Amino acid sequence: FTPLSDRDARNVEDHVRAHMEQGYRYVRCQVAVPGYATYGSTIRPHSTFLEVDQEPWEPSAYCRLVPRMFEHIRDRLGDEVELLHDVHERVPPIQAIQLAKDLEQFRLFFLEDPFSPEDIDYFRILRQQTSIPIAMGELFVNQAEYVPLVRDRLIDFMRVHISDIGGLSMARKIAALCEF
């Protein structure tokens, strides 16, 4: 069991509030899993990258923590802000599907990168299981990866790195495909 501490919850809440006060209406909410090495966690002061004072990544703890974070944020800030979350492809597909279902009640603007590019076949299952809006694409490097997801309406937002997909010309083609 990995609790969402009051301090962690308040930190995320403060982050969202600060952005709202600056006029932002869309805010990505992320939280580190205490004690586990992952995106967003801390490294001991004065340590090298390899001296991380944490346990290896545990996806189950993350999948329990994230819904509690969004429950806290929605309870405190209501529906006046659009919330986003990036999974960073860090959990097995079946856990990602359950996480999406658990987050649906918090009305996220989108859930980003629930699957790794090699697991894109799971998007069909995800779409059948939940109506949460999905964003994907930052790790894609060719049309074979994103065209089926757009064509079959398995994602709602295409996220790209222009340098990875072939530059501005290809980005414009992707935008036209998505618009169509």
Side-chain angles (χ1 to χ4, degrees):
F1 177 71
T2 304
L4 176 64
S5 73
D6 288 341
R7 194 194 81 197
D8 295 333
R10 281 193 308 269
N11 285 344
V12 177
E13 179 186 344
D14 291 345
H15 163 79
V16 175
R17 277 187 197 282
H19 282 82
M20 290 173 70
E21 289 169 4
Q22 294 175 26
Y24 290 94
R25 294 180 36 224
Y26 301 83
V27 181
R28 186 169 88 174
C29 300
Q30 302 292 136
V31 65
V33 179
Y36 290 99
T38 182
Y39 168 85
S41 42
T42 58
I43 297 176
R44 285 186 309 212
H46 310 294
S47 68
T48 66
F49 180 71
L50 298 176
E51 295 175 348
V52 177
D53 188 21
Q54 297 175 341
E55 296 294 320
W57 173 244
E58 171 50 51
S60 296
Y62 166 80
C63 289
R64 290 188 301 269
L65 182 70
V66 171
R68 287 196 297 272
M69 174 189 65
F70 281 104
E71 180 178 29
H72 175 92
I73 298 300
R74 283 292 184 218
D75 284 349
R76 302 308 187 284
L77 302 178
D79 294 327
E80 298 305 312
V81 62
E82 297 289 351
L83 303 175
L84 302 76
H85 182 71
D86 192 344
V87 178
H88 293 288
E89 318 90 32
R90 295 181 296 182
V91 299
I94 296 303
Q95 283 183 300
I97 291 168
Q98 184 61 53
L99 178 62
K101 291 166 64 172
D102 292 345
L103 292 175
E104 190 171 18
Q105 65 183 312
F106 303 113
R107 299 164 310 282
L108 272 61
F109 186 73
F110 66 64
L111 181 67
E112 184 176 353
D113 294 339
F115 308 123
S116 297
E118 61 269 19
D119 290 326
I120 62 173
D121 289 341
Y122 281 95
F123 279 102
R124 192 167 309 284
I125 297 168
L126 179 64
R127 184 57 87 199
Q128 294 169 357
Q129 296 288 320
T130 181
S131 63
I132 195 166
I134 301 296
M136 185 66 186
E138 283 182 305
L139 301 176
F140 292 166
V141 294
N142 69 64
Q143 305 88 300
E145 294 170 303
Y146 52 78
V147 168
L149 297 177
V150 173
R151 179 195 62 221
D152 296 341
R153 292 177 169 79
L154 299 177
I155 60 173
D156 303 287
F157 298 92
M158 175 56 65
R159 307 258 302 141
V160 299
H161 285 289
I162 292 176
S163 60
D164 288 343
I165 60 162
L168 290 174
S169 295
M170 185 56 72
R172 290 185 59 178
K173 290 177 183 180
I174 292 170
L177 170 68
C178 292
E179 181 179 18
F180 180 71

Short mmCIF file of all heavy atoms in Angstrom, two decimals, residues 12-60:
data_model
loop_
_atom_site.label_atom_id
_atom_site.label_comp_id
_atom_site.label_asym_id
_atom_site.label_seq_id
_atom_site.Cartn_x
_atom_site.Cartn_y
_atom_site.Cartn_z
N VAL A 12 0.63 18.86 -5.23
CA VAL A 12 -0.01 18.81 -6.54
C VAL A 12 -1.12 19.86 -6.61
O VAL A 12 -1.24 20.58 -7.60
CB VAL A 12 -0.55 17.40 -6.86
CG1 VAL A 12 -1.29 17.39 -8.19
CG2 VAL A 12 0.58 16.38 -6.87
N GLU A 13 -1.90 19.96 -5.57
CA GLU A 13 -2.96 20.97 -5.52
C GLU A 13 -2.38 22.37 -5.67
O GLU A 13 -2.90 23.20 -6.44
CB GLU A 13 -3.72 20.86 -4.20
CG GLU A 13 -4.82 21.89 -4.05
CD GLU A 13 -5.46 21.84 -2.67
OE1 GLU A 13 -5.28 20.85 -1.93
OE2 GLU A 13 -6.15 22.83 -2.33
N ASP A 14 -1.29 22.65 -4.96
CA ASP A 14 -0.65 23.97 -5.06
C ASP A 14 -0.15 24.22 -6.48
O ASP A 14 -0.26 25.34 -7.00
CB ASP A 14 0.52 24.08 -4.08
CG ASP A 14 0.07 24.13 -2.62
OD1 ASP A 14 -1.14 24.35 -2.37
OD2 ASP A 14 0.93 23.93 -1.74
N HIS A 15 0.39 23.20 -7.11
CA HIS A 15 0.87 23.29 -8.51
C HIS A 15 -0.30 23.69 -9.43
O HIS A 15 -0.17 24.60 -10.25
CB HIS A 15 1.46 21.94 -8.92
CG HIS A 15 1.63 21.73 -10.37
ND1 HIS A 15 2.68 22.27 -11.10
CD2 HIS A 15 0.90 21.03 -11.26
CE1 HIS A 15 2.57 21.90 -12.36
NE2 HIS A 15 1.50 21.15 -12.49
N VAL A 16 -1.42 23.01 -9.28
CA VAL A 16 -2.59 23.30 -10.12
C VAL A 16 -3.11 24.71 -9.83
O VAL A 16 -3.39 25.48 -10.75
CB VAL A 16 -3.69 22.24 -9.92
CG1 VAL A 16 -4.94 22.60 -10.71
CG2 VAL A 16 -3.19 20.85 -10.34
N ARG A 17 -3.24 25.05 -8.56
CA ARG A 17 -3.72 26.39 -8.19
C ARG A 17 -2.83 27.49 -8.77
O ARG A 17 -3.33 28.49 -9.29
CB ARG A 17 -3.76 26.55 -6.67
CG ARG A 17 -4.97 26.01 -6.01
CD ARG A 17 -4.97 26.39 -4.53
NE ARG A 17 -5.88 25.57 -3.80
CZ ARG A 17 -7.20 25.73 -3.78
NH1 ARG A 17 -7.74 26.70 -4.48
NH2 ARG A 17 -7.97 24.92 -3.09
N ALA A 18 -1.52 27.31 -8.65
CA ALA A 18 -0.59 28.32 -9.16
C ALA A 18 -0.78 28.52 -10.66
O ALA A 18 -0.77 29.66 -11.14
CB ALA A 18 0.85 27.90 -8.86
N HIS A 19 -0.98 27.45 -11.39
CA HIS A 19 -1.20 27.57 -12.83
C HIS A 19 -2.56 28.20 -13.14
O HIS A 19 -2.68 29.00 -14.07
CB HIS A 19 -1.04 26.22 -13.52
CG HIS A 19 0.39 25.83 -13.70
ND1 HIS A 19 1.14 25.26 -12.70
CD2 HIS A 19 1.20 25.97 -14.76
CE1 HIS A 19 2.36 25.05 -13.14
NE2 HIS A 19 2.44 25.48 -14.38
N MET A 20 -3.56 27.86 -12.35
CA MET A 20 -4.88 28.47 -12.54
C MET A 20 -4.80 29.98 -12.29
O MET A 20 -5.40 30.76 -13.03
CB MET A 20 -5.90 27.83 -11.60
CG MET A 20 -6.26 26.40 -11.97
SD MET A 20 -7.33 25.62 -10.72
CE MET A 20 -8.85 26.54 -10.96
N GLU A 21 -4.05 30.39 -11.27
CA GLU A 21 -3.91 31.82 -10.96
C GLU A 21 -3.19 32.57 -12.07
O GLU A 21 -3.39 33.77 -12.25
CB GLU A 21 -3.19 31.99 -9.63
CG GLU A 21 -4.03 31.59 -8.44
CD GLU A 21 -3.25 31.51 -7.13
OE1 GLU A 21 -2.05 31.82 -7.13
OE2 GLU A 21 -3.86 31.09 -6.13
N GLN A 22 -2.37 31.85 -12.84
CA GLN A 22 -1.68 32.45 -13.98
C GLN A 22 -2.55 32.44 -15.24
O GLN A 22 -2.11 32.89 -16.29
CB GLN A 22 -0.37 31.72 -14.26
CG GLN A 22 0.65 31.84 -13.17
CD GLN A 22 1.89 31.00 -13.46
OE1 GLN A 22 2.20 30.72 -14.61
NE2 GLN A 22 2.58 30.59 -12.42
N GLY A 23 -3.75 31.91 -15.12
CA GLY A 23 -4.67 31.91 -16.24
C GLY A 23 -4.73 30.62 -17.03
O GLY A 23 -5.48 30.52 -18.01
N TYR A 24 -3.97 29.62 -16.63
CA TYR A 24 -4.02 28.34 -17.34
C TYR A 24 -5.32 27.63 -17.02
O TYR A 24 -5.78 27.61 -15.89
CB TYR A 24 -2.84 27.45 -16.95
CG TYR A 24 -1.52 27.95 -17.47
CD1 TYR A 24 -0.69 28.75 -16.69
CD2 TYR A 24 -1.10 27.62 -18.76
CE1 TYR A 24 0.51 29.22 -17.18
CE2 TYR A 24 0.11 28.07 -19.25
CZ TYR A 24 0.90 28.87 -18.45
OH TYR A 24 2.10 29.33 -18.93
N ARG A 25 -5.90 27.03 -18.04
CA ARG A 25 -7.13 26.26 -17.87
C ARG A 25 -6.90 24.77 -18.00
O ARG A 25 -7.79 23.97 -17.70
CB ARG A 25 -8.16 26.70 -18.90
CG ARG A 25 -8.61 28.14 -18.70
CD ARG A 25 -9.63 28.60 -19.72
NE ARG A 25 -10.55 27.57 -20.11
CZ ARG A 25 -10.92 27.32 -21.38
NH1 ARG A 25 -10.45 28.06 -22.36
NH2 ARG A 25 -11.76 26.37 -21.67
N TYR A 26 -5.72 24.37 -18.49
CA TYR A 26 -5.38 22.97 -18.69
C TYR A 26 -4.07 22.71 -17.95
O TYR A 26 -3.05 23.33 -18.26
CB TYR A 26 -5.20 22.67 -20.17
CG TYR A 26 -6.43 22.96 -20.98
CD1 TYR A 26 -6.72 24.25 -21.42
CD2 TYR A 26 -7.33 21.95 -21.28
CE1 TYR A 26 -7.86 24.53 -22.14
CE2 TYR A 26 -8.48 22.22 -22.01
CZ TYR A 26 -8.74 23.51 -22.44
OH TYR A 26 -9.87 23.78 -23.14
N VAL A 27 -4.09 21.77 -16.98
CA VAL A 27 -2.90 21.54 -16.16
C VAL A 27 -2.66 20.04 -16.06
O VAL A 27 -3.56 19.27 -15.73
CB VAL A 27 -3.07 22.13 -14.75
CG1 VAL A 27 -1.82 21.90 -13.92
CG2 VAL A 27 -3.39 23.62 -14.82
N ARG A 28 -1.42 19.65 -16.34
CA ARG A 28 -1.04 18.24 -16.20
C ARG A 28 -0.65 17.99 -14.75
O ARG A 28 0.15 18.71 -14.17
CB ARG A 28 0.13 17.90 -17.12
CG ARG A 28 0.44 16.42 -17.11
CD ARG A 28 1.40 16.06 -18.20
NE ARG A 28 2.75 16.23 -17.68
CZ ARG A 28 3.83 15.88 -18.37
NH1 ARG A 28 3.73 15.39 -19.58
NH2 ARG A 28 5.01 16.06 -17.85
N CYS A 29 -1.20 16.94 -14.17
CA CYS A 29 -0.95 16.57 -12.78
C CYS A 29 -0.16 15.26 -12.76
O CYS A 29 -0.60 14.25 -13.31
CB CYS A 29 -2.26 16.35 -12.03
SG CYS A 29 -3.31 17.80 -11.99
N GLN A 30 0.98 15.31 -12.10
CA GLN A 30 1.83 14.14 -11.96
C GLN A 30 2.23 14.05 -10.49
O GLN A 30 2.34 15.07 -9.81
CB GLN A 30 3.11 14.27 -12.80
CG GLN A 30 2.89 14.47 -14.28
CD GLN A 30 2.30 13.28 -15.00
OE1 GLN A 30 1.40 13.43 -15.81
NE2 GLN A 30 2.76 12.08 -14.70
N VAL A 31 2.46 12.85 -10.01
CA VAL A 31 2.91 12.65 -8.64
C VAL A 31 3.86 11.46 -8.63
O VAL A 31 3.65 10.47 -9.33
CB VAL A 31 1.72 12.44 -7.67
CG1 VAL A 31 0.97 11.16 -7.96
CG2 VAL A 31 2.17 12.52 -6.23
N ALA A 32 4.94 11.59 -7.87
CA ALA A 32 5.89 10.50 -7.71
C ALA A 32 5.33 9.48 -6.72
O ALA A 32 4.59 9.84 -5.81
CB ALA A 32 7.23 11.03 -7.22
N VAL A 33 5.69 8.24 -6.91
CA VAL A 33 5.31 7.20 -5.97
C VAL A 33 6.39 7.17 -4.89
O VAL A 33 7.54 6.85 -5.20
CB VAL A 33 5.18 5.82 -6.66
CG1 VAL A 33 4.79 4.76 -5.65
CG2 VAL A 33 4.17 5.90 -7.79
N PRO A 34 6.04 7.53 -3.66
CA PRO A 34 7.06 7.60 -2.61
C PRO A 34 7.83 6.29 -2.47
O PRO A 34 7.23 5.21 -2.41
CB PRO A 34 6.26 7.89 -1.34
CG PRO A 34 5.01 8.53 -1.83
CD PRO A 34 4.72 7.89 -3.17
N GLY A 35 9.15 6.41 -2.49
CA GLY A 35 10.00 5.25 -2.29
C GLY A 35 10.36 4.47 -3.53
O GLY A 35 11.15 3.54 -3.48
N TYR A 36 9.80 4.82 -4.67
CA TYR A 36 10.06 4.08 -5.90
C TYR A 36 10.75 4.96 -6.93
O TYR A 36 10.43 6.14 -7.07
CB TYR A 36 8.76 3.53 -6.50
CG TYR A 36 8.17 2.42 -5.67
CD1 TYR A 36 7.13 2.68 -4.79
CD2 TYR A 36 8.67 1.13 -5.77
CE1 TYR A 36 6.60 1.66 -4.02
CE2 TYR A 36 8.13 0.11 -5.00
CZ TYR A 36 7.10 0.38 -4.12
OH TYR A 36 6.58 -0.62 -3.36
N ALA A 37 11.67 4.38 -7.66
CA ALA A 37 12.38 5.09 -8.71
C ALA A 37 11.47 5.24 -9.92
O ALA A 37 10.95 4.25 -10.42
CB ALA A 37 13.64 4.33 -9.11
N THR A 38 11.25 6.47 -10.35
CA THR A 38 10.42 6.72 -11.51
C THR A 38 10.51 8.17 -11.91
O THR A 38 11.09 8.98 -11.21
CB THR A 38 8.95 6.36 -11.23
OG1 THR A 38 8.20 6.59 -12.42
CG2 THR A 38 8.35 7.22 -10.15
N TYR A 39 9.89 8.48 -13.02
CA TYR A 39 9.75 9.87 -13.45
C TYR A 39 9.10 10.66 -12.33
O TYR A 39 8.08 10.26 -11.78
CB TYR A 39 8.86 9.89 -14.71
CG TYR A 39 8.39 11.26 -15.11
CD1 TYR A 39 9.19 12.08 -15.89
CD2 TYR A 39 7.16 11.75 -14.71
CE1 TYR A 39 8.77 13.33 -16.27
CE2 TYR A 39 6.73 13.00 -15.08
CZ TYR A 39 7.54 13.79 -15.87
OH TYR A 39 7.12 15.03 -16.23
N GLY A 40 9.71 11.78 -11.97
CA GLY A 40 9.13 12.64 -10.95
C GLY A 40 9.61 12.36 -9.55
O GLY A 40 9.28 13.08 -8.62
N SER A 41 10.41 11.32 -9.35
CA SER A 41 10.89 11.07 -8.00
C SER A 41 12.23 11.73 -7.77
O SER A 41 12.85 12.24 -8.69
CB SER A 41 10.96 9.57 -7.71
OG SER A 41 11.48 8.86 -8.78
N THR A 42 12.65 11.73 -6.55
CA THR A 42 13.87 12.45 -6.19
C THR A 42 15.04 11.52 -6.02
O THR A 42 14.88 10.34 -5.73
CB THR A 42 13.66 13.23 -4.88
OG1 THR A 42 13.30 12.31 -3.86
CG2 THR A 42 12.58 14.27 -5.04
N ILE A 43 16.22 12.08 -6.17
CA ILE A 43 17.47 11.36 -5.95
C ILE A 43 18.13 11.99 -4.73
O ILE A 43 18.02 13.20 -4.50
CB ILE A 43 18.39 11.48 -7.19
CG1 ILE A 43 17.70 10.82 -8.38
CG2 ILE A 43 19.74 10.85 -6.93
CD1 ILE A 43 18.47 10.96 -9.67
N ARG A 44 18.81 11.18 -3.94
CA ARG A 44 19.48 11.71 -2.75
C ARG A 44 20.39 12.87 -3.11
O ARG A 44 21.04 12.85 -4.16
CB ARG A 44 20.34 10.62 -2.11
CG ARG A 44 19.59 9.57 -1.38
CD ARG A 44 20.55 8.67 -0.69
NE ARG A 44 21.57 8.20 -1.64
CZ ARG A 44 22.16 7.03 -1.59
NH1 ARG A 44 21.88 6.21 -0.64
NH2 ARG A 44 23.06 6.69 -2.46
N PRO A 45 20.45 13.88 -2.26
CA PRO A 45 21.38 14.99 -2.52
C PRO A 45 22.81 14.48 -2.62
O PRO A 45 23.20 13.56 -1.91
CB PRO A 45 21.20 15.89 -1.29
CG PRO A 45 19.91 15.48 -0.68
CD PRO A 45 19.68 14.05 -1.05
N HIS A 46 23.56 15.05 -3.52
CA HIS A 46 24.97 14.74 -3.71
C HIS A 46 25.20 13.30 -4.16
O HIS A 46 26.25 12.74 -3.92
CB HIS A 46 25.79 15.03 -2.44
CG HIS A 46 25.52 16.39 -1.88
ND1 HIS A 46 25.86 17.54 -2.55
CD2 HIS A 46 24.90 16.78 -0.74
CE1 HIS A 46 25.49 18.59 -1.83
NE2 HIS A 46 24.90 18.16 -0.73
N SER A 47 24.23 12.67 -4.76
CA SER A 47 24.41 11.30 -5.23
C SER A 47 24.64 11.32 -6.73
O SER A 47 24.31 12.28 -7.42
CB SER A 47 23.18 10.45 -4.91
OG SER A 47 22.08 10.88 -5.68
N THR A 48 25.20 10.25 -7.23
CA THR A 48 25.31 10.10 -8.67
C THR A 48 24.01 9.52 -9.16
O THR A 48 23.19 9.02 -8.38
CB THR A 48 26.48 9.17 -9.05
OG1 THR A 48 26.18 7.85 -8.58
CG2 THR A 48 27.79 9.66 -8.45
N PHE A 49 23.82 9.51 -10.45
CA PHE A 49 22.58 9.00 -11.02
C PHE A 49 22.35 7.54 -10.62
O PHE A 49 21.23 7.12 -10.43
CB PHE A 49 22.63 9.12 -12.55
CG PHE A 49 21.39 8.62 -13.23
CD1 PHE A 49 20.21 9.33 -13.14
CD2 PHE A 49 21.40 7.43 -13.93
CE1 PHE A 49 19.06 8.88 -13.75
CE2 PHE A 49 20.26 6.97 -14.55
CZ PHE A 49 19.09 7.70 -14.46
N LEU A 50 23.41 6.78 -10.45
CA LEU A 50 23.27 5.36 -10.14
C LEU A 50 23.05 5.08 -8.66
O LEU A 50 22.79 3.97 -8.27
CB LEU A 50 24.51 4.60 -10.62
CG LEU A 50 24.74 4.66 -12.13
CD1 LEU A 50 26.04 3.97 -12.49
CD2 LEU A 50 23.58 4.04 -12.88
N GLU A 51 23.15 6.10 -7.80
CA GLU A 51 22.97 5.91 -6.37
C GLU A 51 21.59 6.32 -5.91
O GLU A 51 21.42 7.00 -4.91
CB GLU A 51 24.02 6.73 -5.61
CG GLU A 51 25.43 6.27 -5.84
CD GLU A 51 26.42 7.19 -5.16
OE1 GLU A 51 26.03 8.29 -4.71
OE2 GLU A 51 27.60 6.82 -5.10
N VAL A 52 20.59 5.91 -6.62
CA VAL A 52 19.22 6.27 -6.27
C VAL A 52 18.81 5.51 -5.02
O VAL A 52 18.96 4.29 -4.94
CB VAL A 52 18.26 5.95 -7.44
CG1 VAL A 52 16.83 6.25 -7.05
CG2 VAL A 52 18.66 6.74 -8.67
N ASP A 53 18.30 6.24 -4.04
CA ASP A 53 17.91 5.65 -2.76
C ASP A 53 16.44 5.24 -2.81
O ASP A 53 15.63 5.75 -2.06
CB ASP A 53 18.16 6.67 -1.65
CG ASP A 53 17.96 6.07 -0.27
OD1 ASP A 53 18.02 4.84 -0.14
OD2 ASP A 53 17.72 6.86 0.66
N GLN A 54 16.11 4.36 -3.73
CA GLN A 54 14.71 3.96 -3.89
C GLN A 54 14.64 2.52 -4.37
O GLN A 54 15.60 1.96 -4.87
CB GLN A 54 14.02 4.89 -4.89
CG GLN A 54 14.00 6.31 -4.40
CD GLN A 54 13.42 7.25 -5.44
OE1 GLN A 54 13.34 6.94 -6.61
NE2 GLN A 54 13.01 8.41 -4.99
N GLU A 55 13.45 1.97 -4.25
CA GLU A 55 13.17 0.64 -4.74
C GLU A 55 12.92 0.69 -6.24
O GLU A 55 12.59 1.74 -6.78
CB GLU A 55 11.94 0.06 -4.03
CG GLU A 55 12.13 -0.13 -2.55
CD GLU A 55 13.16 -1.19 -2.25
OE1 GLU A 55 13.19 -2.22 -2.95
OE2 GLU A 55 13.96 -0.97 -1.32
N PRO A 56 13.03 -0.43 -6.93
CA PRO A 56 12.66 -0.45 -8.36
C PRO A 56 11.19 -0.07 -8.54
O PRO A 56 10.39 -0.15 -7.62
CB PRO A 56 12.90 -1.91 -8.77
CG PRO A 56 13.79 -2.47 -7.73
CD PRO A 56 13.51 -1.72 -6.46
N TRP A 57 10.85 0.32 -9.74
CA TRP A 57 9.50 0.77 -10.07
C TRP A 57 8.47 -0.32 -9.79
O TRP A 57 8.67 -1.48 -10.11
CB TRP A 57 9.47 1.16 -11.54
CG TRP A 57 8.12 1.48 -12.06
CD1 TRP A 57 7.45 0.81 -13.03
CD2 TRP A 57 7.27 2.55 -11.65
NE1 TRP A 57 6.23 1.39 -13.24
CE2 TRP A 57 6.09 2.46 -12.41
CE3 TRP A 57 7.39 3.56 -10.71
CZ2 TRP A 57 5.04 3.35 -12.27
CZ3 TRP A 57 6.34 4.45 -10.56
CH2 TRP A 57 5.19 4.34 -11.34
N GLU A 58 7.35 0.08 -9.22
CA GLU A 58 6.24 -0.82 -8.92
C GLU A 58 4.96 -0.24 -9.51
O GLU A 58 4.40 0.72 -8.97
CB GLU A 58 6.10 -1.02 -7.42
CG GLU A 58 4.86 -1.76 -6.98
CD GLU A 58 4.61 -3.07 -7.71
OE1 GLU A 58 5.53 -3.89 -7.79
OE2 GLU A 58 3.50 -3.24 -8.23
N PRO A 59 4.46 -0.79 -10.64
CA PRO A 59 3.29 -0.19 -11.29
C PRO A 59 2.01 -0.27 -10.46
O PRO A 59 1.16 0.60 -10.56
CB PRO A 59 3.17 -0.97 -12.59
CG PRO A 59 3.97 -2.20 -12.42
CD PRO A 59 5.01 -1.92 -11.39
N SER A 60 1.85 -1.28 -9.63
CA SER A 60 0.61 -1.40 -8.85
C SER A 60 0.47 -0.25 -7.86
O SER A 60 -0.63 0.29 -7.68
CB SER A 60 0.57 -2.74 -8.11
OG SER A 60 0.52 -3.79 -9.04
#
